Amino acid sequence: EVQLLESGGGLVQPGGSLRLSCAASGFTFNNYAMNWVRQAPGKGLEWVSSIGSSGGSTYFADSVKGRFSISRDNSKNTLFLQMNGLRAEDTAIYYCAKDRRAMGIDYWGQGTLVTVSS
Amino acid sequence: DIQMTQSPSSLSASVGDRVTITCRASQGISNSLGWFQQKPGKAPKCLIYAASSLQSGAPSRFSGSGSGTDFTLTISSLQAEDFATYYCQQYSSYPITFGQGTRLEIK
């Protein structure tokens, strides 16, 4: 059974940093690209970032480019999202999501809440 | 960027109804489209991928069709547990984009 467990969310002041983690199990992690998708309170889904299976390719939404970085540790089956320069508009639930080999997302984690506020 | 436009934004229907939700891409995306269901307070779940392939475990009353720019999600006979918000997503090119969502409510 595929399981994705996010952690690292919390309350942070504007301009601060957070590092989200996603622990994966139930599949061969290093065979699949991974994604981060967020959802602001009461709003729709917004793709944030993707990383290829080896970590060699990364992609970012314009809204986070230059502030966020994505990485993975295939030896520990873990995905990361480093978020710097956080803004109020980054407040959202952040979901880790598994890719289906170039056919979109198939599984989602339960999400972790990031709140940016003074 | 490819814009995804869903219609309607909200929909009221009754148990047993046949429901169709549409999604239009601002440019052709072949069949690189997925549909997701999200219930309040829960993570999204995949229903359809590659425009018309049913996700393992998704009920067979859900079906998808379309190619290019116009796509539909059909629920053949609404069940009580289907009242939720539905999103389309294109993965043809980065940035990946989602539709704004369709909220399906009980009439």
Side-chain angles (χ1 to χ4, degrees):
Chain A
E1 178 192 5
V2 172
Q3 291 194 347
L4 301 168
L5 185 62
E6 302 93 337
S7 60
L11 175 63
V12 61
Q13 293 187 340
S17 298
L18 274 180
R19 189 192 198 202
L20 305 184
S21 300
C22 172
S25 61
F27 63 102
T28 305
F29 184 70
N30 61 12
N31 281 353
Y32 294 90
M34 296 293 294
N35 307 274
W36 289 99
V37 177
R38 69 185 180 184
Q39 187 170 37
K43 302 297 184 183
L45 301 171
E46 180 189 16
W47 170 78
V48 173
S49 182
S50 300
I51 186 168
S53 59
S54 66
S57 300
T58 59
Y59 307 88
F60 297 93
D62 284 347
S63 58
V64 307
K65 202 171 293 182
R67 300 186 297 123
F68 290 12
S69 62
I70 189 172
S71 60
R72 61 192 298 162
D73 184 339
N74 284 345
S75 68
K76 295 183 179 178
N77 293 350
T78 304
L79 174 71
F80 302 100
L81 185 69
Q82 178 66 44
M83 304 186 295
N84 299 329
L86 283 161
R87 306 166 179 167
E89 55 265 35
D90 296 318
T91 294
I93 296 172
Y94 284 73
Y95 295 102
C96 163
K98 173 185 169 290
D99 213 65
R100 193 203 309 268
R101 287 198 175 134
M103 288 198 288
I105 290 170
D106 54 0
Y107 292 98
W108 301 67
Q110 87 292 344
T112 187
L113 177 62
V114 172
T115 302
V116 184
S117 175
S118 55
Chain B
D1 298 3
I2 299 173
Q3 308 302 315
M4 305 300 293
T5 304
Q6 284 181 235
S7 61
S9 296
S10 63
L11 173 62
S12 294
S14 302
V15 172
D17 284 353
R18 179 182 181 90
V19 167
T20 297
I21 298 169
T22 65
C23 182
R24 174 164 288 177
S26 60
Q27 63 190 76
I29 59 171
S30 185
N31 69 337
S32 299
L33 185 106
W35 287 98
F36 300 91
Q37 177 194 66
Q38 187 178 33
K39 296 181 179 179
K42 301 294 186 181
K45 288 186 177 180
C46 179
L47 297 172
I48 299 289
Y49 65 97
S52 59
S53 296
L54 188 67
Q55 169 74 5
S56 174
S60 59
R61 61 183 178 273
F62 291 95
S63 63
S65 65
S67 184
T69 60
D70 294 311
F71 302 87
T72 60
L73 173 70
T74 299
I75 310 172
S76 60
S77 178
L78 267 177
Q79 302 300 302
E81 60 267 30
D82 299 336
F83 292 95
T85 300
Y86 293 84
Y87 295 93
C88 62
Q89 176 217 25
Q90 71 79 22
Y91 48 87
S92 173
S93 64
Y94 289 103
I96 292 168
T97 46
F98 291 88
Q100 80 278 15
T102 294
R103 185 175 179 181
L104 180 53
E105 300 173 321
I106 300 173
K107 184 183 286 183

